Every structure is written in C-alpha cells, then in structure tokens.
Amino acid sequence: MEQIRRVLSVIVLNEDGVLSRISGLFAGRGYNIDSLTVAPIPKTNLSRLTIVTSGNTAVLEQIVKQLHKLIPTYKVIESGTFVEKELALVKIPLNEDFNGLDAMLKAYNGTIASSNEDFIVVMVADDYERIDNFLKAIKKYNPIDMVRSGSVAMDI
Amino acid sequence: MELSGSQMVIEALRKENVSVVFGYPGGAIMNVYDEVYKQNYFRHILTRHEQAAIHAADGYARASGEVGVAFVTSGPGFTNAVTGLATAYMDSIPMVVISGQVPISMIGTDAFQEIDAVGISRPCVKHNYLVKDVKDLPRILKEAFYIARSGRPGPVHVDIPKDVSAHMGEFDYPDEIKMQTYRPTYKGNPRQIKKAIEAIANAKRPVLYIGGGAINSNASAEVREFARIAGIPAVETLMARGIMGDENPLLLGMLGMHGCYSANMAMSEADLMIAFGPRFDDRVTGKLSEFAKHAKIIHVDIDPSSIGKIVPIDYPIVGDLKNVVDAMIPLAKEHIDENKYKPWRDLLNRYDEIHPLKYEDSNEILKPQWAIERVGQLLGDKAIICTDVGQHQMWAAQFYPFSYPRQWVTSGGLGTMGFGLPAAMGAQVAMPSKTIINFTGDGSILMNIQELMTAVESKIPVINIILNNQFLGMVRQWQTFFYDKRYSSTDLTVQPDFVKLVESFGGRGFRVHTKEEFDIALEEALKSNTVCMIDVHVDRFENVLPMVPSGGTLYNMMLEYKE
Ligand SMILES: Cc1ncc(C[n+]2csc(CCOP(=O)(O)OP(=O)(O)O)c2C)c(N)n1
Ligand SMILES: [Mg+2]
C-alpha cells in the first residue's frame, strides 16, 4: 500500500517519561519517525510534539489512535492544513569561494548566523522539501557540518 | 493529615476498599511492609514468587471484577513480576502493582537492586508512575486505581523509591477525580447505534461475535437479552466463555483455531458480524483475507484503537458494551424480526449436528476431555474453572459447561504457562464459597509449583487437576501435524512424583488412571478442604480438534487427524 507522509502535532502533559512513552510506542509497534521535535507550551503544563511519520492509511489511523490512547496525551492534531517549517544550520570553512552564496541564502530565507576566523555558519528556515534542495545546493561550498531541526508545525 | 509515603499506600488501599494484597517483600519495599504489619484493613498473602503474586492478583480481579493489588520489591522482585503484568495487560485485567525502588538519590547509579522498572513495564501496562515526591503520591494512587478500572481496564504500575515511602506529606485523597488528558467514552453515539440496528434489520445472516470486553463490561445480561430479542446466533472467543451460558440455544460455541465447526462456519457465511468487545486476535481470525469475507462488520468497543486495527469496520461504535447494548435493546424490539433469521439458525444448527465437538472415549485409557466433562457433570456452576496453557486449556474451553461470566479464568492473549495455580488462588480468595478447579498440564504446573506452599499456608483449597500426558502436549501436537513427528524437547516422561510433591508441601495428592479412581479422588479432594493435586494419567497422543492451522481459513478446519 501507498506510503503517505503525515505531520502530527501532539499535545501532551509535560511530565517525566512522556517522550519515552511516545518513542517507545513508535518503536514497539514498528511505526516510522522521520522527525520529532518537542518543546513546552508556554504558561501551561503541556508540551507540543511535532512528529513527521509515514505509513499507509491504516497505519496512520492506528498511529493517531495509539497516541490518543496514551494517558498523558491531551490532543492529537492531524489536519492537513499545517504551516510546517524546518530549520537547518550549515558550517562552511572560510577558505571557500563564497561567490553566489548571498543569492542562495536570499532564495531560501537564510542568513549568516555566526562566524569566526575559520568558518561561517549559515541558517535557513523553510519548507522541508526546500531544505532538502538547499542542502544539496550548498554542497558546492564544501560544508564541514550540517544540522537540521526536524519540522515544527502549526495548524491553521 | 500528615502521613509517611508507606502509610499513604495503606490508607489509599483502604479508601479503595482493597481487601487483599498479594506480595513478596524486599529491601526497597520494607517501609511499606512495616505498615502492612501494623494495619488490619486488608489481608496480605505472601506468595513464594513475585510472578505468582501478580497472577494471584490477576485471578482475583478476573473472578471478582475488582482491582487486584500486589506488592513487590525493586530489581529482581520487579523483573519477576513482568510476566504477570504482561499477562494482565494482554487480557485487559484491572490491577495496581506497587514496586519498591532504590532511593531517589541513587537512581541512575546502578545501585544494588536498581532496575529501570518503569522503563521495563511501559509496554506491558496501561500506565505507570515513578513517584518522585511524596506529595504526589495520593494523587498518583488515586489515578492508578481509576485508570486500572475505567475505560478498557488494565494493569497500572507504581514505582515508589525507598526514601519517598519514608517521607512525610499531606494525605489528601480525593473521592472523585477528573483527569485532564484521560476521559474514556462510555456512551455510544446514538446515530451510529441506529445505523447498526438498521444494518441488522436488513441482514439475512447476522452473527454475534463476543469477546472478552463483554466480561470486562459486565454485559452478560444485556448481551443475552439482545441475542434473545433479535434471535441472532452467537459465538464466543476464548475470553468470553460464560457470557451466553452454554445452555443457551443461540450459542454455537467457541470460535477460532480450536473453535467448533458451526461457530467458524457462522463467521465464514455471515453477511453481518456484530462484534461485541473482541479484538480480532489472529488465533480467532485465521487467514485475514478470508476472514468473514461476506460480512459487513459492526464493532462495539470501549477502546477506539481496537476498532479497525485488524480489519476495516463498517459500523464503528465507541463505548462501554453494557451501555451500548442497553441502548440497542429497545431499538431491536422495535425494528428486528427474529423470525427472519430462522433459516439461518436452522442451517447453523445443522452444521452443529453434522460436526459437533467430539472425542473418542475409551475404557482402556483415560481421555483428557472425559475428565473435563466429568468435572462439569459433578460440579457444573459450583466451580470456577482456571487453567494453565496448552491442550488442557483448549479442552477445558471446549468441554466444560460454562453458565455465567467470570466462571472461567485463563490467560488468553499472552498464553502464560504457570498462570493457573496462582490465578486459581486469587480466584479462591475472591470467591471463598466456590470450588476452584485448576486444569493444568504436567508442563505448566511446574512453572509456579512453589505456590503450593502459599496455598497451604494461607489455607487456599484449590484443586489442581493435572491432565498428565507426559508431554508439552500442545507443542507435541504441532510437531505431530507439522514437523513429521520430530518431538524436539517436548517429551516429559521424566517427571516428579506429583502425589509426593504436593504432600511434601502439606497438601493432598491423588494419582488416577481410571474413571472410578477419578471420581473417588475428586470426592476426596472436595472433602479435604486443602490444596490438592489430582495427577490424571491420560492418553499421551490425544489431539485438540478441530483445528485451523495458523494462517488457515475458518471454513477449512481440520476436523480429524489421520496418520
Ligand atoms: C511460559 C511459556 N513458555 C512456553 C510456552 C509455549 N507452550 C504453549 S503450550 C505448551 C505446552 C504446555 O504443556 P502442558 O502444560 O503439559 O500442557 P498440555 O499441552 O500437555 O496440556 C508450551 C510449551 C508458553 N505458552 N508459555
Ligand atoms: Mg502435558
């Protein structure tokens, strides 16, 4: 059956062990986690996890139900209308020729996040597919390290 | 009121009306045991192994419908308990298990008898807690009992570090709780219920497929009433035995791998399946693509994740079964004509006449099925029937005449050998006026044999009937059928003298080779009022039939085994 990519926004009680319940659920039942981010929701006792997963429709339905079944789960949002963004950091040595880098950063909403005498760190925040493309394109500057954050999403 | 953590445990159990705790002490839970010594609210039964403490609490819960409670210590005490937790979890049994843990300051240091207990229990409990502050303990205990018994029931594990059980704190135990993130649905959606009734009214060949959820929901009376009004034939899973009562003309019997022919044919030929709290286990469905191929499916379950997990469902109804069936009954009276299904019922009854459950009795050698039928004739509804796991378990499910729910205590989902004796002890403690029979095997009984000591000490007079085939019989049967009779590691001819064994513990033992000896032994056992073991030597090569080989189809059962 066809594999569908799905973004889930999961609101859970911000308590000990809740992340292990969720990662354990995915591992134990053989579900995919493509990315997972987590942070507390300000002024509440809750946290928001953004999970990017994939599976056929039956598996995706089970994932949502199994997440609901966990006692600390408050809400699972799976609506198709998400603003979904991802952040990437790329470290490039200063001895590279930066010709064209400015234009590339502009095209991907990027900036230079940090620099010192040996390298610069560029940062982009964009849709996950565009991050894929950016990370391919940036290869020509021979980056020494790349980090991506995983998606964060907000339902609209 | 200021109490220590240990005192809070005792007080919470009192507030929850707990009358018995099964357990085994050790360093990390000694504070709690010190308070157990001082109190007289509940009885504490010392088992001789932690696994047995959990199974006993489980058997207590299955027989009574109340939450079973057990105490174990940290490290090996807890790891011994894991099989018990998993057994209860697979069968949705309400239980609260409290374990000791090393003091907070030592957690994470690989301290003596430290193990990540909540890490281990997570996949085999409904929920768990590591208590980090005594001020959270009353709330956690309240939640633990609430979660265990509400919604789809299940075991809850509470891990209490030794310093937390000594710390003092305010004991404020709420009567009621509402949890922000856990709110099970009890009432079925009326629109869905109406649609389901329409579907039933339009069906020609409906069948009730009843699972363990009907036991947990205490829905036997409602399910019987609904079946009667609608005139719909019913099949029961292993877990649901007793819901319809075997005298009920609408009950075809158990379905699945060792189900009866008419029950499996009913599923295969039905045009509508009405699933009341089953979970479509692979031992029931056989090959999925062929399972109930012609049927639309109504599935009532309190656990939304159970619906649509294995097969797509046409009419899902989330809710407590008792509640939902109660709402269905008046609609059924109005819209369903039971006469319509008469040809269907007649057809299924004919199937039952052609291929009833059967075995060939013998005068030379005792047949295991005969022993079960005989106990059924002699004790009937006076006995609660517990089992271990194997052939004897399937024969008990097939041949004992069950007449009410909670008369049947067996490990279904996990299939845990060693469950029988401790679970039977729990059932006996829950139901002191009943006779408790544990049908067990010569393999299984040795997996918690030490509990004979508990039974003697705590005066729990369960009667263990070993259907002794000198084999790990169920595995041997598969080797006969599917492995060219290569009996790899299943021959148990080397075995203890079970009579001497039980007598060394202080119980009574009987060895039986004939029907006459069987009757005498059972009569003696019933009179003895102590734990008994009847070692019944049965035909070694008897097979459980009929059988749907795993991956086979329900409509293509093996009815006989030919060499
Ligand atoms: C703890 C455990 N180990 C292994 C098994 C696999 N198993 C299932 S039935 C069975 C044989 C049981 O033998 P016995 O208790 O003598 O019962 P019989 O089948 O002979 O009636 C075995 C080994 C199991 N179910 N549980
Ligand atoms: Mg055996």
Side-chain angles (χ1 to χ4, degrees):
Chain A
M1 267 198 276
E2 196 201 349
Q3 295 280 304
I4 305 161
R5 179 180 184 276
R6 177 70 48 91
V7 181
L8 300 171
S9 187
V10 188
I11 317 285
V12 297
L13 285 182
N14 182 10
E15 61 181 24
D16 287 349
V18 66
L19 194 56
S20 79
R21 290 184 206 284
I22 289 179
S23 58
L25 168 66
F26 276 74
R29 294 193 182 259
Y31 305 146
N32 299 319
I33 299 183
D34 297 335
S35 78
L36 186 158
T37 63
V38 55
I41 302 176
K43 294 193 193 133
T44 68
N45 59 347
L46 302 169
S47 284
R48 179 192 296 269
L49 286 94
T50 306
I51 303 173
V52 180
T53 182
S54 54
N56 63 42
T57 31
V59 167
L60 291 173
E61 185 185 320
Q62 263 301 304
I63 291 176
V64 171
K65 286 177 166 179
Q66 293 291 343
L67 283 167
H68 264 296
K69 189 170 166 176
L70 295 175
I71 305 287
T73 301
Y74 181 63
K75 211 156 126 184
V76 182
I77 305 162
E78 46 161 341
S79 82
T81 47
F82 277 116
V83 182
E84 181 194 344
K85 294 289 168 190
E86 187 172 357
L87 182 131
L89 299 172
V90 181
K91 189 192 282 179
I92 305 172
L94 268 184
N95 54 14
E96 288 294 320
D97 173 7
F98 287 148
N99 206 348
L101 181 64
D102 251 6
M104 192 190 292
L105 286 180
K106 217 175 202 164
Y108 288 95
N109 304 316
T111 56
I112 294 176
S114 179
S115 67
N116 62 18
E117 57 272 21
D118 298 324
F119 51 77
I120 60 167
V121 174
V122 301
M123 175 183 96
V124 293
D126 213 325
D127 301 350
Y128 78 96
E129 292 122 322
R130 288 180 47 85
I131 296 281
D132 287 347
N133 292 339
F134 174 79
L135 292 179
K136 263 183 231 146
I138 200 81
K139 284 236 167 84
K140 77 172 195 209
Y141 298 107
N142 299 312
I144 46 179
D145 204 2
M146 305 202 262
V147 176
R148 50 197 298 181
S149 65
S151 289
V152 291
M154 182 180 275
D155 50 308
I156 49 173
Chain B
M1 190 175 28
E2 282 261 311
L3 295 180
S4 72
S6 312
Q7 289 166 332
M8 289 180 181
V9 170
I10 307 296
E11 288 302 318
L13 264 51
R14 182 168 82 109
K15 296 249 182 188
E16 298 292 344
N17 294 318
V18 172
S19 59
V20 60
V21 174
F22 300 89
Y24 206 101
I29 196 154
M30 280 184 72
N31 293 336
V32 175
Y33 268 89
D34 195 41
E35 296 301 328
V36 168
Y37 187 85
K38 296 178 201 161
Q39 61 82 38
N40 54 12
Y41 303 141
F42 57 80
R43 178 179 180 198
H44 178 274
I45 293 176
L46 173 68
T47 58
R48 294 307 192 266
H49 192 297
E50 288 87 353
Q51 182 188 349
I54 314 299
H55 288 329
D58 179 326
Y60 178 90
R62 289 181 204 238
S64 67
E66 304 293 324
V67 178
V69 182
F71 292 162
V72 298
T73 192
S74 68
F78 173 75
T79 53
N80 274 349
V82 172
T83 301
L85 289 171
T87 302
Y89 184 56
M90 287 294 278
D91 290 342
S92 306
I93 305 304
M95 230 158 59
V96 171
V97 173
I98 295 176
S99 56
Q101 181 56 281
V102 302
I104 299 262
S105 59
M106 293 171 82
I107 287 180
T109 66
D110 302 317
F112 178 62
Q113 296 192 329
E114 180 189 359
I115 196 77
D116 175 8
V118 287
I120 292 174
S121 72
R122 191 193 50 71
C124 43
V125 293
K126 184 171 172 186
H127 196 49
N128 62 15
Y129 297 88
L130 170 60
V131 186
K132 290 204 167 156
D133 189 330
V134 74
K135 79 175 189 326
D136 298 328
L137 188 54
R139 171 186 59 82
I140 286 174
L141 291 169
K142 182 76 205 176
E143 287 183 6
F145 277 91
Y146 172 65
I147 290 169
R149 65 163 75 95
S150 61
R152 179 178 185 169
V156 179
H157 167 218
V158 182
D159 198 31
I160 309 181
K162 190 167 184 179
D163 49 348
V164 173
S165 62
H167 289 160
M168 302 296 291
E170 187 60 31
F171 183 70
D172 182 8
Y173 201 77
D175 287 333
E176 291 275 318
I177 51 162
K178 259 212 176 116
M179 293 178 63
Q180 184 184 6
T181 59
Y182 171 69
R183 280 154 301 187
T185 307
Y186 288 95
K187 229 177 134 278
N189 178 320
R191 274 219 318 277
Q192 287 295 95
I193 292 177
K194 239 172 118 189
K195 276 199 215 153
I197 293 285
E198 273 167 34
I200 300 170
N202 290 328
K204 290 197 181 70
R205 300 183 306 279
V207 62
L208 284 181
Y209 161 36
I210 306 169
I215 304 272
N216 283 330
S217 164
N218 294 315
S220 173
E222 288 76 8
V223 171
R224 287 182 193 198
E225 175 74 351
F226 176 79
R228 189 185 60 80
I229 289 165
I232 299 177
V235 302
E236 289 175 347
T237 66
L238 178 71
M239 297 310 295
R241 299 292 286 120
I243 283 289
M244 290 292 285
D246 289 1
E247 298 271 273
N248 195 319
L250 288 167
L251 180 68
L252 299 165
M254 182 169 78
L255 84 163
M257 182 174 276
H258 294 298
C260 63
Y261 179 77
S262 59
N264 283 345
M265 289 310 285
M267 295 298 274
S268 302
E269 295 185 357
D271 65 351
L272 180 74
M273 179 203 303
I274 307 158
F276 281 169
R279 60 183 186 89
F280 298 79
D281 184 86
D282 50 271
R283 286 291 191 266
V284 157
T285 61
K287 188 177 177 185
L288 268 181
S289 56
E290 293 295 308
F291 173 65
K293 238 190 350 197
H294 311 290
K296 294 256 186 241
I297 307 180
I298 299 167
H299 187 182
V300 186
D301 206 293
I302 197 157
D303 176 3
S305 76
S306 192
I307 299 179
K309 183 177 67 174
I310 307 294
V311 296
I313 301 298
D314 305 280
Y315 305 94
I317 302 176
V318 177
D320 176 40
L321 188 65
K322 189 184 183 80
N323 219 300
V324 171
V325 181
D326 209 40
M328 289 173 81
I329 287 171
L331 295 172
K333 280 184 185 151
E334 206 178 314
H335 299 286
I336 298 174
D337 172 17
E338 60 108 6
N339 283 320
K340 187 176 166 195
Y341 313 130
K342 182 152 193 314
W344 169 233
R345 290 194 299 264
D346 290 345
L347 173 71
L348 294 173
N349 288 336
R350 228 162 24 248
Y351 283 154
D352 204 39
E353 279 156 25
I354 303 169
H355 296 299
L357 272 182
K358 60 169 196 271
Y359 66 95
E360 222 168 285
D361 203 7
S362 149
N363 286 324
E364 267 88 74
I365 185 155
L366 276 180
K367 294 288 181 167
Q369 301 95 325
W370 177 86
I372 288 160
E373 278 189 338
R374 187 67 185 148
V375 177
Q377 287 160 8
L378 295 173
L379 297 178
D381 61 7
K382 291 203 236 4
I384 290 178
I385 304 301
C386 308
T387 75
D388 264 301
V389 172
Q391 291 184 308
H392 63 275
Q393 175 190 32
M394 291 300 118
W395 285 318
Q398 291 178 330
F399 289 99
Y400 198 87
F402 294 99
S403 48
Y404 53 93
R406 303 193 182 281
Q407 192 188 2
W408 169 240
V409 173
T410 200
S411 164
L414 202 67
T416 308
M417 289 171 67
F419 175 79
L421 171 55
M425 297 186 327
Q428 181 78 80
V429 171
M431 299 287 155
S433 63
K434 294 273 182 194
T435 298
I436 308 293
I437 301 289
N438 174 34
F439 284 115
T440 179
D442 46 321
S444 297
I445 190 64
L446 288 179
M447 282 205 179
N448 265 318
I449 193 72
Q450 76 287 341
E451 294 312 310
L452 290 172
M453 202 67 262
T454 311
V456 167
E457 181 189 49
S458 295
K459 303 196 165 42
I460 306 173
V462 304
I463 300 174
N464 297 282
I465 301 180
I466 306 177
L467 299 176
N468 191 342
N469 50 14
Q470 301 182 321
F471 266 124
L472 295 172
M474 187 55 98
V475 183
R476 191 281 306 153
Q477 174 172 339
W478 284 50
Q479 289 169 333
T480 304
F481 289 1
F482 313 121
Y483 292 86
D484 273 338
K485 304 190 180 172
R486 287 184 298 278
Y487 296 134
S488 177
S489 303
T490 47
D491 189 311
L492 297 185
T493 32
V494 176
Q495 48 179 241
D497 180 328
F498 284 109
V499 174
K500 281 192 192 151
L501 181 63
V502 63
E503 287 181 346
S504 79
F505 282 97
R508 292 279 314 271
F510 308 88
R511 183 165 296 107
V512 166
H513 290 97
T514 65
K515 292 180 176 177
E516 293 69 34
E517 288 170 356
F518 186 85
D519 281 7
I520 294 167
L522 186 60
E523 202 183 316
E524 286 288 311
L526 288 165
K527 277 194 288 197
S528 75
N529 212 23
T530 183
V531 63
C532 292
M533 195 119 89
I534 308 180
D535 180 20
V536 187
H537 285 255
V538 297
D539 190 345
R540 294 194 75 200
F541 288 94
E542 192 68 21
N543 294 314
V544 183
L545 289 167
M547 177 171 189
V548 180
S550 48
T553 61
L554 292 189
Y555 53 80
N556 208 352
M557 305 186 77
M558 185 195 288
L559 292 163
E560 256 163 65
Y561 170 69
K562 289 196 201 74
E563 296 276 326

